[in-house]
Amino acid sequence: MMFLAIRELKHSKLRYLLIGLIMVLVALLVFIISGLANGLSSDNASSIQNMKADYFVMEHDSKNKLNRSIISMGKLDEIRAITDVKAAEGLGQMMITLNKIGSSEKTDATIFATDASGILAPKVIEGTSYDNKKQGEVVADRSLKEVGYKLGDSLKDDLSGKVFTIVGFTEKQSYSHTPAVYMSVKGWQEINPGLKNQGKDSISAIAVQMDSKSEENVRESLPEGVTLISKEESLQSIPGFKEEQGTLTMMIAFLFVIAAFVLAVFFYVITLQKTNQFGVLKALGANTGYLAKSIVGQVMLLAVTCIAISVALTYGVTLIMPEGMPFELSADLVIKYSVLLLAVSVLGSLLSLYRVAKIDAIEAIGRVS
């Protein structure tokens, strides 16, 4: 099976080199766009994605948006009292502009407020965590450090005039393409203008840890005026998240379709050119199954080689990408898309197999003679 496939690859090097080049470029585009999609997803929502929460309890009329939800802290105890809830923690959120003291530099950021020792507290990679009793301490995402901020720097909220000190850094914490800054709930309540008419003792939402099988029971036990949403629903409600991911996913899907059509056309044309040769082989005793296996083996060998080259090129490209470019490509995703590309390649060869099955040996020999 592979003897015939390899012999033909060696004999028609230029032809298959051009096909291979197209396959490499298509696969390279798939991996790069996938990495960008994952990177943008993380840059847009990593603070929510990395939270140790399965569900969120929000205000009923908030449309699943954190920035529109305001609920009283008293509901936290009611949620914790529900039998199927394993753990629950209050969460405050708001977008602000921070001004670095001693500098004209301003930075847009997302404030997340939660208990420093609770289930939502970020992992500190440098410095210390904030003190719940000290309203002026914050833990910031490392992306702020990369643009010049350091431990001990003072940040002023443009809206409230409150000043905060960076006591620690965390990582992979961003929201709506802005770095996340964590602080105590009391500190957040002091600077949030949206609480003026709602009462200072409020939060944006309650993060809940529980089994998905208990969802219906928990919904029925919720206090009045709130709703339960999954983490995925919360992600989809982040401004631009669904549209951004949908666009990139559609591009990847089209690349797979394009790859299938391009390969189908290339191998079909090649099969047409080799109709006489296949006819002769059939006359000599080669059955359709043997020829089909030869074509599939040839496609798989070419596809595996091209995919391997494109994976290597992708990781090479990441080395020269700008540091601020959001790009994440996990090994699991590479394996998944490599298998899909291989499947698409084999699928593209099916048209050629149909043509080979229809070849009549006598007619082919007649044309040769």
Side-chain angles (χ1 to χ4, degrees):
M1 176 183 74
M2 293 305 293
F3 172 77
L4 184 61
I6 294 173
R7 289 279 297 177
E8 189 175 3
L9 287 172
K10 287 181 177 179
H11 183 266
S12 305
K13 295 185 182 69
L14 182 60
R15 174 191 293 171
Y16 288 102
L17 183 64
L18 292 174
I19 297 174
L21 179 61
I22 292 172
M23 291 178 68
V24 167
L25 292 175
V26 170
L28 181 63
L29 272 174
V30 168
F31 289 128
I32 288 179
I33 293 176
S34 301
L36 289 172
N38 271 7
L40 286 169
S41 172
S42 179
D43 194 53
N44 202 354
S46 59
S47 55
I48 301 295
Q49 291 170 337
N50 296 329
M51 277 186 182
K52 296 177 181 178
D54 305 306
Y55 292 84
F56 292 96
V57 175
M58 295 187 187
E59 188 180 1
H60 183 71
D61 297 327
S62 64
K63 294 186 178 180
N64 300 347
K65 297 182 183 295
L66 278 171
N67 60 327
R68 295 183 184 180
S69 175
I70 297 292
I71 58 180
S72 67
M73 281 288 288
K75 285 187 170 55
L76 178 58
D77 292 330
E78 295 181 57
I79 299 298
R80 285 173 173 167
I82 297 175
T83 305
D84 294 313
V85 172
K86 298 177 182 178
E89 196 67 68
L91 176 68
Q93 184 264 352
M94 66 179 291
M95 307 286 289
I96 65 172
T97 299
L98 295 173
N99 187 4
K100 186 176 180 180
I101 300 296
S103 170
S104 59
E105 185 176 351
K106 293 187 178 183
T107 303
D108 291 327
T110 300
I111 294 291
F112 282 100
T114 189
D115 190 325
S117 57
I119 61 173
L120 302 183
K123 181 181 178 181
V124 178
I125 60 171
E126 184 181 348
T128 61
S129 186
Y130 53 89
D131 190 326
N132 285 326
K133 297 179 181 179
K134 297 180 180 178
Q135 299 179 17
E137 294 183 348
V138 298
V139 170
D141 182 64
R142 187 172 63 179
S143 59
L144 284 179
K145 182 181 179 181
E146 293 170 356
V147 294
Y149 290 85
K150 60 184 184 296
L151 292 176
D153 279 354
S154 294
L155 307 173
K156 181 181 178 182
D157 172 26
D158 273 3
L159 190 61
S160 67
K162 296 284 185 180
V163 177
F164 309 98
T165 302
I166 299 176
V167 296
F169 284 106
T170 184
E171 63 179 349
K172 296 181 179 179
Q173 299 288 344
S174 59
Y175 184 90
S176 195
H177 300 298
T178 62
V181 176
Y182 285 80
M183 64 168 58
S184 67
V185 174
K186 286 292 184 184
W188 173 81
Q189 289 170 341
E190 288 296 321
I191 66 171
N192 193 336
L195 302 184
K196 289 181 180 179
N197 300 323
Q198 301 286 337
K200 287 289 186 181
D201 195 27
S202 300
I203 46 179
S204 298
I206 297 171
V208 177
Q209 289 181 348
M210 67 181 202
D211 197 313
S212 59
K213 296 177 182 178
S214 306
E215 182 177 342
E216 194 60 38
N217 292 335
V218 172
R219 286 186 187 279
E220 293 175 357
S221 305
L222 288 175
E224 188 178 351
V226 297
T227 186
L228 183 73
I229 67 168
S230 66
K231 181 186 283 190
E232 182 59 30
E233 288 175 312
S234 175
L235 290 172
Q236 295 300 319
S237 68
I238 296 174
F241 181 87
K242 182 169 61 177
E243 293 79 8
E244 185 178 83
Q245 292 301 301
T247 301
L248 292 169
T249 301
M250 185 177 291
M251 290 173 66
I252 294 170
F254 271 116
L255 282 173
F256 278 111
V257 173
I258 290 168
F261 273 104
V262 168
L263 291 173
V265 170
F266 266 109
F267 281 103
Y268 186 72
V269 170
I270 291 173
T271 302
L272 286 177
Q273 293 174 342
K274 297 187 297 183
T275 297
N276 297 342
Q277 291 93 319
F278 281 133
V280 172
L281 286 171
K282 279 191 172 185
L284 293 174
N287 58 37
T288 300
Y290 176 83
L291 296 176
K293 289 177 182 178
S294 176
I295 292 174
V296 172
Q298 190 178 77
V299 171
M300 290 186 69
L301 182 61
L302 191 63
V304 169
T305 303
C306 292
I307 291 169
I309 293 172
S310 65
V311 170
L313 286 174
T314 301
Y315 283 110
V317 169
T318 61
L319 298 176
I320 60 174
M321 282 184 174
E323 192 158 337
M325 180 175 289
F327 188 92
E328 288 186 15
L329 191 62
S330 65
D332 289 342
L333 192 64
V334 170
I335 293 171
K336 174 185 173 183
Y337 280 160
S338 295
V339 172
L340 280 174
L341 284 166
L342 183 60
V344 164
S345 300
V346 174
L347 187 65
S349 68
L350 295 182
L351 189 61
S352 299
L353 300 185
Y354 174 78
R355 178 62 186 172
V356 169
K358 292 294 183 181
I359 293 175
D360 184 271
I362 296 176
E363 289 183 9
I365 291 173
R367 286 194 294 269
V368 172
S369 61

